[in-house]
Amino acid sequence: MDDYRRIADRIAADITGGRLRPGQRLPPQRAFARRHGIAPSTAGRVYAELVRRGLVVGEVGRGTFVRATAPDGQPGIALTEAAGVPLVNLELNYPSVPGQAELLAPALTSLLRPDALGQALRPAPAAGTPQAREAVAALLARNGLRTGPERILFTGNARQAIAATLAALVRPGGRVGVEPLTYPLVKEIAARLGLVLVPLATDAEGPLPKAVAAAHRSAPLSALYLQPALHNPTSRTIGAGRLRELADCVHRLGTPVVEDRIWAFLDTGGTPPLAALAPGLVHLVDSLSKRVAPGLTVGFAVVPEDRAEAVARAVRSGGWSAGSFALEAAVRWLGDGTVDRLVAAKRQDARRRQRLVAEKLAGFAVRSDPAAYFAWWELPAPWRADTFTAAARSHGIAVTPGTAFSVDPSRTPDAVRLGLGSVSEGRLGRALETLAGVARGGAGG
Protein backbone atom coordinates (compact mmCIF):
# COMPACT_ATOMS: atom_id res chain seq x y z
CA MET A 1 0.00 0.00 0.00
CA ASP A 2 1.22 3.51 -0.75
CA ASP A 3 2.59 5.47 2.22
CA TYR A 4 -0.02 8.22 1.89
CA ARG A 5 -2.88 5.71 2.09
CA ARG A 6 -1.37 4.07 5.18
CA ILE A 7 -1.16 7.48 6.89
CA ALA A 8 -4.71 8.33 5.73
CA ASP A 9 -5.91 5.06 7.30
CA ARG A 10 -4.40 6.10 10.66
CA ILE A 11 -6.05 9.52 10.55
CA ALA A 12 -9.35 7.89 9.49
CA ALA A 13 -9.12 5.56 12.50
CA ASP A 14 -8.59 8.56 14.79
CA ILE A 15 -11.70 10.21 13.33
CA THR A 16 -14.00 7.18 13.55
CA GLY A 17 -12.63 6.34 17.01
CA GLY A 18 -13.44 9.81 18.32
CA ARG A 19 -9.83 10.85 18.98
CA LEU A 20 -10.26 13.57 16.36
CA ARG A 21 -13.56 15.31 17.07
CA PRO A 22 -16.12 16.76 14.61
CA GLY A 23 -15.18 20.30 13.67
CA GLN A 24 -11.55 19.88 14.80
CA ARG A 25 -9.06 21.52 12.46
CA LEU A 26 -6.19 19.45 11.07
CA PRO A 27 -2.77 21.10 11.01
CA PRO A 28 -1.63 22.90 7.84
CA GLN A 29 -0.23 20.44 5.32
CA ARG A 30 3.39 21.60 5.78
CA ALA A 31 3.12 21.18 9.56
CA PHE A 32 1.49 17.77 9.04
CA ALA A 33 4.33 16.79 6.70
CA ARG A 34 7.00 17.78 9.25
CA ARG A 35 5.20 15.92 12.04
CA HIS A 36 5.01 12.70 10.03
CA GLY A 37 8.38 13.01 8.31
CA ILE A 38 6.92 13.05 4.82
CA ALA A 39 7.10 15.37 1.83
CA PRO A 40 4.53 18.19 1.57
CA SER A 41 3.26 16.63 -1.65
CA THR A 42 2.58 13.38 0.22
CA ALA A 43 0.75 15.30 2.93
CA GLY A 44 -1.40 16.83 0.19
CA ARG A 45 -2.27 13.35 -1.06
CA VAL A 46 -3.22 12.26 2.48
CA TYR A 47 -5.59 15.20 2.85
CA ALA A 48 -7.05 14.60 -0.62
CA GLU A 49 -7.66 10.96 0.30
CA LEU A 50 -9.46 11.96 3.51
CA VAL A 51 -11.63 14.38 1.53
CA ARG A 52 -12.38 11.63 -0.99
CA ARG A 53 -13.52 9.34 1.85
CA GLY A 54 -15.84 12.06 3.14
CA LEU A 55 -14.09 12.28 6.52
CA VAL A 56 -12.84 15.86 6.30
CA VAL A 57 -13.76 18.99 4.42
CA GLY A 58 -11.33 21.59 3.10
CA GLU A 59 -12.37 25.22 3.23
CA VAL A 60 -10.49 27.74 1.10
CA GLY A 61 -8.46 30.14 3.25
CA ARG A 62 -9.49 28.41 6.48
CA GLY A 63 -8.04 24.91 6.53
CA THR A 64 -9.19 21.30 6.72
CA PHE A 65 -11.74 20.20 9.32
CA VAL A 66 -13.16 16.87 10.53
CA ARG A 67 -16.70 16.48 9.25
CA ALA A 68 -19.70 16.29 11.55
CA THR A 69 -21.37 13.56 9.50
CA ALA A 70 -20.21 10.35 7.92
CA PRO A 71 -20.04 10.01 4.09
CA ASP A 72 -23.55 8.52 3.93
CA GLY A 73 -25.00 11.49 5.79
CA GLN A 74 -25.50 9.53 9.01
CA PRO A 75 -24.03 10.72 12.31
CA GLY A 76 -20.43 9.71 12.84
CA ILE A 77 -19.36 7.55 15.77
CA ALA A 78 -18.10 10.58 17.65
CA LEU A 79 -21.53 12.19 17.39
CA THR A 80 -23.66 9.40 18.80
CA GLU A 81 -26.13 10.84 21.30
CA ALA A 82 -25.99 9.83 24.93
CA ALA A 83 -27.70 6.55 25.74
CA GLY A 84 -31.35 6.97 26.64
CA VAL A 85 -31.64 10.51 25.26
CA PRO A 86 -34.24 10.67 22.44
CA LEU A 87 -32.91 12.44 19.38
CA VAL A 88 -34.85 15.32 17.87
CA ASN A 89 -34.10 14.56 14.24
CA LEU A 90 -34.24 17.65 12.03
CA GLU A 91 -32.20 15.87 9.35
CA LEU A 92 -35.14 13.72 8.27
CA ASN A 93 -38.09 15.38 6.57
CA TYR A 94 -41.09 13.07 6.24
CA PRO A 95 -44.17 15.22 6.91
CA SER A 96 -47.17 13.59 8.52
CA VAL A 97 -50.41 15.17 9.72
CA PRO A 98 -52.89 14.07 12.41
CA GLY A 99 -55.43 11.59 11.09
CA GLN A 100 -53.24 10.61 8.13
CA ALA A 101 -53.59 6.86 8.71
CA GLU A 102 -57.35 7.18 9.11
CA LEU A 103 -57.52 8.98 5.75
CA LEU A 104 -55.43 6.35 3.99
CA ALA A 105 -57.06 3.21 5.36
CA PRO A 106 -60.52 3.15 3.67
CA ALA A 107 -59.16 3.04 0.12
CA LEU A 108 -57.19 -0.09 0.94
CA THR A 109 -60.20 -2.15 2.06
CA SER A 110 -61.15 -3.28 -1.45
CA LEU A 111 -57.50 -3.90 -2.26
CA LEU A 112 -57.31 -6.52 0.50
CA ARG A 113 -59.92 -8.81 -1.09
CA PRO A 114 -58.17 -12.02 -2.23
CA ASP A 115 -58.90 -11.43 -5.93
CA ALA A 116 -57.68 -7.82 -5.89
CA LEU A 117 -54.72 -8.64 -3.66
CA GLY A 118 -53.58 -11.42 -5.95
CA GLN A 119 -53.46 -8.99 -8.86
CA ALA A 120 -51.74 -6.29 -6.75
CA LEU A 121 -48.93 -8.64 -5.74
CA ARG A 122 -47.81 -9.33 -9.30
CA PRO A 123 -44.71 -7.60 -10.73
CA ALA A 124 -45.28 -4.25 -12.43
CA PRO A 125 -43.47 -3.05 -15.57
CA ALA A 126 -41.72 0.32 -15.72
CA ALA A 127 -44.78 1.69 -17.53
CA GLY A 128 -46.97 0.74 -14.57
CA THR A 129 -50.64 0.17 -15.35
CA PRO A 130 -53.04 2.12 -17.57
CA GLN A 131 -54.97 3.21 -14.47
CA ALA A 132 -51.80 4.47 -12.76
CA ARG A 133 -50.71 6.41 -15.85
CA GLU A 134 -54.12 8.07 -16.17
CA ALA A 135 -54.20 8.95 -12.45
CA VAL A 136 -50.74 10.54 -12.49
CA ALA A 137 -51.44 12.39 -15.74
CA ALA A 138 -54.53 13.91 -14.07
CA LEU A 139 -52.46 14.85 -10.98
CA LEU A 140 -49.84 16.58 -13.12
CA ALA A 141 -52.49 18.42 -15.14
CA ARG A 142 -53.75 20.01 -11.91
CA ASN A 143 -50.18 21.20 -11.32
CA GLY A 144 -49.80 22.80 -14.75
CA LEU A 145 -48.42 20.00 -16.93
CA ARG A 146 -50.56 18.30 -19.56
CA THR A 147 -48.91 15.13 -20.78
CA GLY A 148 -49.77 11.94 -22.55
CA PRO A 149 -49.95 8.90 -20.26
CA GLU A 150 -47.53 7.06 -22.57
CA ARG A 151 -44.73 9.37 -21.36
CA ILE A 152 -45.09 8.35 -17.68
CA LEU A 153 -42.83 5.72 -16.08
CA PHE A 154 -42.87 4.43 -12.49
CA THR A 155 -40.22 3.60 -9.91
CA GLY A 156 -40.24 2.62 -6.26
CA ASN A 157 -39.45 6.18 -5.18
CA ALA A 158 -38.21 9.51 -6.50
CA ARG A 159 -34.55 8.74 -5.83
CA GLN A 160 -34.81 5.78 -8.17
CA ALA A 161 -36.52 7.94 -10.79
CA ILE A 162 -33.63 10.44 -10.60
CA ALA A 163 -31.07 7.63 -10.86
CA ALA A 164 -32.84 6.04 -13.83
CA THR A 165 -33.16 9.28 -15.79
CA LEU A 166 -29.53 10.25 -15.18
CA ALA A 167 -28.35 6.74 -16.07
CA ALA A 168 -30.30 6.91 -19.33
CA LEU A 169 -29.05 10.39 -20.22
CA VAL A 170 -25.40 10.45 -19.16
CA ARG A 171 -22.57 8.01 -19.77
CA PRO A 172 -19.88 7.44 -17.12
CA GLY A 173 -17.56 10.44 -17.13
CA GLY A 174 -20.26 12.74 -18.49
CA ARG A 175 -20.86 16.21 -17.03
CA VAL A 176 -24.10 17.19 -15.29
CA GLY A 177 -24.81 20.83 -14.49
CA VAL A 178 -26.32 21.36 -11.03
CA GLU A 179 -26.99 24.18 -8.59
CA PRO A 180 -24.01 24.78 -6.25
CA LEU A 181 -26.17 23.50 -3.38
CA THR A 182 -28.01 20.38 -4.42
CA TYR A 183 -29.86 17.34 -3.08
CA PRO A 184 -27.22 15.21 -1.29
CA LEU A 185 -28.46 11.95 -2.80
CA VAL A 186 -27.83 13.35 -6.28
CA LYS A 187 -24.16 13.64 -5.28
CA GLU A 188 -24.25 10.00 -4.21
CA ILE A 189 -26.04 8.87 -7.39
CA ALA A 190 -23.49 10.74 -9.52
CA ALA A 191 -20.61 9.07 -7.68
CA ARG A 192 -22.10 5.61 -8.22
CA LEU A 193 -22.80 6.25 -11.90
CA GLY A 194 -19.39 7.87 -12.48
CA LEU A 195 -20.83 11.28 -13.40
CA VAL A 196 -19.14 14.65 -12.91
CA LEU A 197 -21.27 17.32 -11.23
CA VAL A 198 -20.60 20.86 -12.46
CA PRO A 199 -21.83 23.67 -10.15
CA LEU A 200 -23.57 26.47 -12.05
CA ALA A 201 -23.48 30.09 -10.96
CA THR A 202 -26.80 31.30 -9.54
CA ASP A 203 -28.40 34.48 -8.26
CA ALA A 204 -31.47 35.07 -6.10
CA GLU A 205 -33.72 33.88 -8.94
CA GLY A 206 -31.89 30.62 -9.60
CA PRO A 207 -29.35 29.26 -12.09
CA LEU A 208 -28.09 31.81 -14.60
CA PRO A 209 -28.69 30.81 -18.24
CA LYS A 210 -25.36 32.41 -19.21
CA ALA A 211 -23.63 30.19 -16.63
CA VAL A 212 -25.25 27.12 -18.20
CA ALA A 213 -24.02 28.21 -21.64
CA ALA A 214 -20.52 28.96 -20.32
CA ALA A 215 -20.24 25.58 -18.62
CA HIS A 216 -21.40 23.88 -21.81
CA ARG A 217 -18.81 25.76 -23.89
CA SER A 218 -16.07 24.69 -21.49
CA ALA A 219 -16.92 21.02 -22.07
CA PRO A 220 -20.34 19.76 -23.23
CA LEU A 221 -22.91 19.14 -20.52
CA SER A 222 -24.74 15.85 -20.96
CA ALA A 223 -27.64 17.00 -18.78
CA LEU A 224 -28.81 19.41 -16.08
CA TYR A 225 -30.35 18.47 -12.74
CA LEU A 226 -32.48 21.30 -11.32
CA GLN A 227 -34.99 21.86 -8.50
CA PRO A 228 -37.03 24.84 -9.74
CA ALA A 229 -39.79 24.72 -7.08
CA LEU A 230 -38.92 24.95 -3.35
CA HIS A 231 -35.28 24.13 -3.88
CA ASN A 232 -33.78 21.87 -1.23
CA PRO A 233 -32.15 23.31 0.94
CA THR A 234 -32.78 27.03 0.27
CA SER A 235 -36.55 26.92 -0.48
CA ARG A 236 -36.04 29.20 -3.51
CA THR A 237 -38.60 28.94 -6.31
CA ILE A 238 -37.59 30.06 -9.81
CA GLY A 239 -39.95 32.63 -11.27
CA ALA A 240 -41.73 32.29 -14.59
CA GLY A 241 -39.38 34.73 -16.37
CA ARG A 242 -36.20 32.89 -15.41
CA LEU A 243 -37.82 29.56 -16.25
CA ARG A 244 -38.53 30.80 -19.77
CA GLU A 245 -34.90 31.96 -20.10
CA LEU A 246 -33.66 28.54 -18.96
CA ALA A 247 -36.03 26.80 -21.38
CA ASP A 248 -34.71 28.96 -24.24
CA CYS A 249 -31.14 28.19 -23.16
CA VAL A 250 -31.51 24.40 -23.09
CA HIS A 251 -33.34 24.53 -26.42
CA ARG A 252 -30.39 26.36 -27.98
CA LEU A 253 -27.89 23.94 -26.48
CA GLY A 254 -29.99 20.82 -26.95
CA THR A 255 -29.20 19.84 -23.35
CA PRO A 256 -31.68 17.54 -21.56
CA VAL A 257 -32.85 18.39 -18.04
CA VAL A 258 -33.90 16.34 -15.02
CA GLU A 259 -36.46 18.51 -13.20
CA ASP A 260 -36.99 17.49 -9.55
CA ARG A 261 -40.52 18.40 -8.41
CA ILE A 262 -40.61 16.45 -5.13
CA TRP A 263 -41.61 19.43 -2.98
CA ALA A 264 -43.52 21.40 -5.62
CA PHE A 265 -46.91 20.21 -4.33
CA LEU A 266 -46.52 22.69 -1.44
CA ASP A 267 -46.07 25.67 -3.77
CA THR A 268 -49.34 27.47 -4.42
CA GLY A 269 -47.80 30.17 -6.63
CA GLY A 270 -48.91 28.57 -9.88
CA THR A 271 -45.53 28.75 -11.62
CA PRO A 272 -45.54 26.14 -14.40
CA PRO A 273 -42.99 23.34 -14.38
CA LEU A 274 -40.00 23.66 -16.69
CA ALA A 275 -41.27 20.50 -18.40
CA ALA A 276 -44.24 22.49 -19.69
CA LEU A 277 -41.88 24.92 -21.44
CA ALA A 278 -39.44 22.38 -22.89
CA PRO A 279 -41.29 19.03 -23.09
CA GLY A 280 -38.89 17.61 -25.66
CA LEU A 281 -35.89 17.97 -23.29
CA VAL A 282 -37.13 17.92 -19.71
CA HIS A 283 -37.49 14.72 -17.69
CA LEU A 284 -39.79 15.60 -14.78
CA VAL A 285 -39.37 13.55 -11.58
CA ASP A 286 -41.90 13.45 -8.75
CA SER A 287 -43.36 11.04 -6.20
CA LEU A 288 -46.10 10.52 -3.62
CA SER A 289 -43.79 10.06 -0.62
CA LYS A 290 -44.03 13.63 0.68
CA ARG A 291 -47.68 14.02 -0.30
CA VAL A 292 -48.72 10.71 1.28
CA ALA A 293 -46.21 8.73 3.38
CA PRO A 294 -42.65 7.45 2.90
CA GLY A 295 -43.37 3.83 3.80
CA LEU A 296 -45.60 3.07 0.82
CA THR A 297 -44.64 5.30 -2.06
CA VAL A 298 -44.43 5.57 -5.81
CA GLY A 299 -41.95 7.59 -7.85
CA PHE A 300 -42.66 8.63 -11.41
CA ALA A 301 -40.94 10.32 -14.29
CA VAL A 302 -42.49 12.14 -17.24
CA VAL A 303 -40.01 11.78 -20.08
CA PRO A 304 -39.86 12.98 -23.70
CA GLU A 305 -41.61 10.45 -25.88
CA ASP A 306 -38.45 9.52 -27.77
CA ARG A 307 -36.62 8.82 -24.46
CA ALA A 308 -39.27 6.61 -22.84
CA GLU A 309 -37.73 3.28 -23.82
CA ALA A 310 -34.19 4.31 -22.79
CA VAL A 311 -35.37 5.38 -19.33
CA ALA A 312 -37.53 2.26 -19.02
CA ARG A 313 -34.44 0.12 -19.74
CA ALA A 314 -32.57 1.97 -16.98
CA VAL A 315 -35.46 1.33 -14.58
CA ARG A 316 -35.44 -2.39 -15.40
CA SER A 317 -31.66 -2.79 -15.24
CA GLY A 318 -31.49 -0.98 -11.90
CA GLY A 319 -34.30 -3.05 -10.40
CA TRP A 320 -36.14 0.21 -9.68
CA SER A 321 -39.67 -0.66 -10.80
CA ALA A 322 -42.57 0.28 -8.54
CA GLY A 323 -44.46 -2.48 -6.75
CA SER A 324 -47.95 -3.30 -8.04
CA PHE A 325 -49.46 -2.99 -4.56
CA ALA A 326 -48.11 0.55 -4.20
CA LEU A 327 -49.40 1.45 -7.67
CA GLU A 328 -52.89 0.12 -6.89
CA ALA A 329 -52.95 1.98 -3.57
CA ALA A 330 -51.81 5.18 -5.30
CA VAL A 331 -54.57 4.90 -7.92
CA ARG A 332 -57.18 4.63 -5.18
CA TRP A 333 -55.79 7.51 -3.10
CA LEU A 334 -55.55 9.76 -6.15
CA GLY A 335 -59.01 8.80 -7.37
CA ASP A 336 -60.95 9.26 -4.13
CA GLY A 337 -59.45 12.64 -3.20
CA THR A 338 -57.27 11.34 -0.35
CA VAL A 339 -54.10 12.81 -1.85
CA ASP A 340 -55.77 16.20 -2.32
CA ARG A 341 -56.93 16.24 1.31
CA LEU A 342 -53.45 15.31 2.56
CA VAL A 343 -51.83 17.98 0.39
CA ALA A 344 -54.20 20.64 1.77
CA ALA A 345 -53.46 19.55 5.35
CA LYS A 346 -49.71 19.51 4.79
CA ARG A 347 -49.72 22.96 3.22
CA GLN A 348 -51.34 24.31 6.38
CA ASP A 349 -48.98 22.29 8.58
CA ALA A 350 -45.87 23.60 6.78
CA ARG A 351 -47.02 27.20 7.23
CA ARG A 352 -47.55 26.68 10.97
CA ARG A 353 -44.05 25.24 11.30
CA GLN A 354 -42.56 28.13 9.34
CA ARG A 355 -44.19 30.52 11.77
CA LEU A 356 -42.38 28.66 14.57
CA VAL A 357 -39.10 29.14 12.71
CA ALA A 358 -39.78 32.86 12.28
CA GLU A 359 -40.60 33.20 15.98
CA LYS A 360 -37.86 31.07 17.53
CA LEU A 361 -35.05 32.12 15.17
CA ALA A 362 -35.96 35.80 14.95
CA GLY A 363 -32.87 37.91 14.38
CA PHE A 364 -30.92 35.16 12.63
CA ALA A 365 -30.27 34.90 8.89
CA VAL A 366 -32.78 32.21 7.91
CA ARG A 367 -33.72 31.68 4.26
CA SER A 368 -36.98 29.88 3.66
CA ASP A 369 -40.42 30.04 2.11
CA PRO A 370 -43.68 30.13 4.07
CA ALA A 371 -44.78 27.02 2.16
CA ALA A 372 -41.64 24.90 2.71
CA TYR A 373 -40.94 22.07 5.12
CA PHE A 374 -37.31 23.11 5.62
CA ALA A 375 -35.23 26.18 6.38
CA TRP A 376 -31.66 27.20 5.48
CA TRP A 377 -29.92 28.83 8.43
CA GLU A 378 -26.82 30.92 7.64
CA LEU A 379 -24.99 30.72 10.95
CA PRO A 380 -23.61 33.71 12.82
CA ALA A 381 -19.83 34.03 13.16
CA PRO A 382 -17.76 32.35 14.41
CA TRP A 383 -19.82 29.20 13.88
CA ARG A 384 -19.00 26.80 11.07
CA ALA A 385 -21.49 24.25 9.80
CA ASP A 386 -19.71 21.19 11.16
CA THR A 387 -18.96 22.60 14.61
CA PHE A 388 -22.56 23.81 14.98
CA THR A 389 -23.85 20.41 13.86
CA ALA A 390 -21.68 18.76 16.51
CA ALA A 391 -22.84 21.23 19.18
CA ALA A 392 -26.49 20.65 18.22
CA ARG A 393 -25.95 16.90 18.45
CA SER A 394 -24.53 17.29 21.95
CA HIS A 395 -27.92 18.82 22.86
CA GLY A 396 -29.78 15.87 21.30
CA ILE A 397 -30.73 17.62 18.05
CA ALA A 398 -29.67 16.45 14.56
CA VAL A 399 -29.37 19.03 11.77
CA THR A 400 -27.80 18.74 8.33
CA PRO A 401 -24.59 20.74 7.74
CA GLY A 402 -24.24 22.80 4.59
CA THR A 403 -21.33 20.60 3.51
CA ALA A 404 -23.84 17.83 2.71
CA PHE A 405 -25.37 19.99 -0.04
CA SER A 406 -22.25 21.68 -1.42
CA VAL A 407 -21.09 20.36 -4.80
CA ASP A 408 -17.66 21.99 -4.54
CA PRO A 409 -15.95 20.63 -1.38
CA SER A 410 -13.66 23.67 -1.28
CA ARG A 411 -16.62 26.07 -1.02
CA THR A 412 -18.63 25.02 2.00
CA PRO A 413 -21.29 27.36 3.41
CA ASP A 414 -21.46 28.14 7.12
CA ALA A 415 -25.09 27.07 7.21
CA VAL A 416 -27.32 24.18 8.24
CA ARG A 417 -30.61 22.87 6.92
CA LEU A 418 -33.45 22.31 9.32
CA GLY A 419 -36.01 19.68 8.32
CA LEU A 420 -39.33 20.67 9.87
CA GLY A 421 -41.63 17.80 9.01
CA SER A 422 -40.57 14.74 11.02
CA VAL A 423 -41.22 15.82 14.64
CA SER A 424 -44.25 17.18 16.43
CA GLU A 425 -44.79 20.94 16.51
CA GLY A 426 -44.11 20.98 20.25
CA ARG A 427 -40.77 19.21 19.94
CA LEU A 428 -39.87 21.37 16.95
CA GLY A 429 -40.51 24.57 18.88
CA ARG A 430 -38.41 23.42 21.84
CA ALA A 431 -35.60 22.27 19.52
CA LEU A 432 -35.55 25.63 17.73
CA GLU A 433 -35.31 27.45 21.07
CA THR A 434 -32.37 25.23 22.06
CA LEU A 435 -30.60 25.79 18.75
CA ALA A 436 -31.05 29.55 19.06
CA GLY A 437 -29.43 29.39 22.48
CA VAL A 438 -26.53 27.34 21.12
CA ALA A 439 -26.01 29.82 18.27
CA ARG A 440 -26.00 32.80 20.63
CA GLY A 441 -23.50 31.03 22.89
CA GLY A 442 -20.80 31.15 20.22
CA ALA A 443 -18.49 28.44 18.89
CA GLY A 444 -16.58 27.17 21.89
CA GLY A 445 -13.19 26.16 20.52
Side-chain angles (χ1 to χ4, degrees):
M1 181 183 293
D2 294 338
D3 285 346
Y4 82 92
R5 289 193 178 129
R6 189 160 51 243
I7 297 170
D9 287 342
R10 291 205 300 268
I11 303 302
D14 287 342
I15 292 171
T16 56
R19 292 178 291 278
L20 285 173
R21 304 291 294 177
Q24 186 170 338
R25 182 178 177 176
L26 299 186
Q29 291 183 20
R30 288 190 176 277
F32 184 90
R34 287 195 300 271
R35 182 179 302 174
H36 291 271
I38 57 178
S41 60
T42 303
R45 296 182 75 184
V46 172
Y47 279 39
E49 177 66 12
L50 293 170
V51 169
R52 188 190 68 79
R53 298 184 192 183
L55 297 172
V56 302
V57 59
E59 301 182 10
V60 174
R62 299 174 65 175
T64 302
F65 299 85
V66 178
R67 289 189 62 169
T69 51
D72 60 0
Q74 298 302 312
I77 292 173
L79 290 178
T80 303
E81 62 275 11
V85 178
L87 183 71
V88 180
N89 198 327
L90 305 186
E91 288 184 303
L92 298 178
N93 214 10
Y94 297 127
S96 179
V97 292
Q100 181 166 295
E102 290 77 6
L103 274 175
L104 294 171
L108 300 182
T109 302
S110 63
L111 190 53
L112 298 180
R113 295 196 319 265
D115 57 335
L117 186 59
Q119 183 68 27
L121 294 180
R122 294 181 178 179
T129 64
Q131 296 84 357
R133 292 195 296 275
E134 293 288 349
V136 168
L139 172 69
L140 294 171
R142 292 200 296 276
N143 294 330
L145 178 66
R146 299 192 178 278
T147 183
E150 68 282 352
R151 294 175 54 203
I152 300 172
L153 301 171
F154 294 91
T155 58
N157 54 48
R159 301 171 187 176
Q160 294 172 345
I162 293 169
T165 52
L166 286 175
L169 288 169
V170 190
R171 294 181 178 180
R175 287 160 42 92
V176 179
V178 295
E179 289 134 318
L181 299 172
T182 196
Y183 182 32
L185 278 171
V186 168
K187 295 164 61 177
E188 183 178 323
I189 290 167
R192 294 193 176 194
L193 295 177
L195 313 182
V196 178
L197 296 183
V198 180
L200 304 169
T202 63
D203 62 11
E205 294 187 61
L208 294 163
K210 64 181 181 182
V212 176
H216 190 71
R217 283 196 302 271
S218 174
L221 295 172
S222 299
L224 303 179
Y225 166 81
L226 302 175
Q227 304 173 71
L230 295 179
H231 171 266
N232 180 14
T234 66
S235 302
R236 180 221 62 230
T237 294
I238 301 176
R242 177 61 57 85
L243 278 178
R244 285 192 294 271
E245 292 173 3
L246 286 169
D248 290 343
C249 178
V250 298
H251 271 303
R252 288 195 306 272
L253 301 176
T255 304
V257 181
V258 178
E259 179 182 11
D260 186 339
R261 298 273 298 179
I262 305 307
W263 290 105
F265 73 95
L266 294 168
D267 178 29
T268 58
T271 303
L274 185 59
L277 303 175
L281 288 169
V282 177
H283 301 60
L284 182 146
V285 171
D286 204 340
S287 83
L288 296 183
S289 64
K290 308 300 185 186
R291 291 178 175 88
V292 181
L296 184 64
T297 184
V298 172
F300 45 90
V302 181
V303 302
E305 192 170 352
D306 62 347
R307 298 295 304 171
E309 181 51 38
V311 178
R313 284 198 301 271
V315 171
R316 290 192 294 269
S317 64
W320 294 323
S321 297
S324 290
F325 188 91
L327 285 176
E328 292 294 335
V331 168
R332 285 162 170 76
W333 289 328
L334 287 166
D336 68 4
T338 297
V339 172
D340 288 338
R341 288 190 286 274
L342 285 173
V343 166
K346 290 182 179 182
R347 285 174 173 171
Q348 294 177 4
D349 183 57
R351 289 182 178 275
R352 288 195 303 271
R353 290 165 186 265
Q354 286 291 346
R355 286 196 288 270
L356 276 177
V357 172
E359 174 191 344
K360 305 299 184 183
L361 299 184
F364 292 105
V366 179
R367 295 169 56 189
S368 193
D369 184 288
Y373 262 117
F374 41 84
W376 181 246
W377 185 1
E378 297 173 346
L379 299 168
W383 283 110
R384 294 185 304 102
D386 278 13
T387 52
F388 185 83
T389 301
R393 175 71 64 150
S394 72
H395 286 76
I397 304 169
V399 299
T400 309
T403 50
F405 300 91
S406 182
V407 176
D408 183 349
S410 68
R411 300 179 67 85
T412 54
D414 291 327
V416 295
R417 192 204 70 170
L418 307 176
L420 310 179
S422 292
V423 300
S424 69
E425 288 184 54
R427 292 189 81 196
L428 175 62
R430 292 189 292 274
L432 292 172
E433 287 181 353
T434 299
L435 292 175
V438 171
R440 292 189 183 101

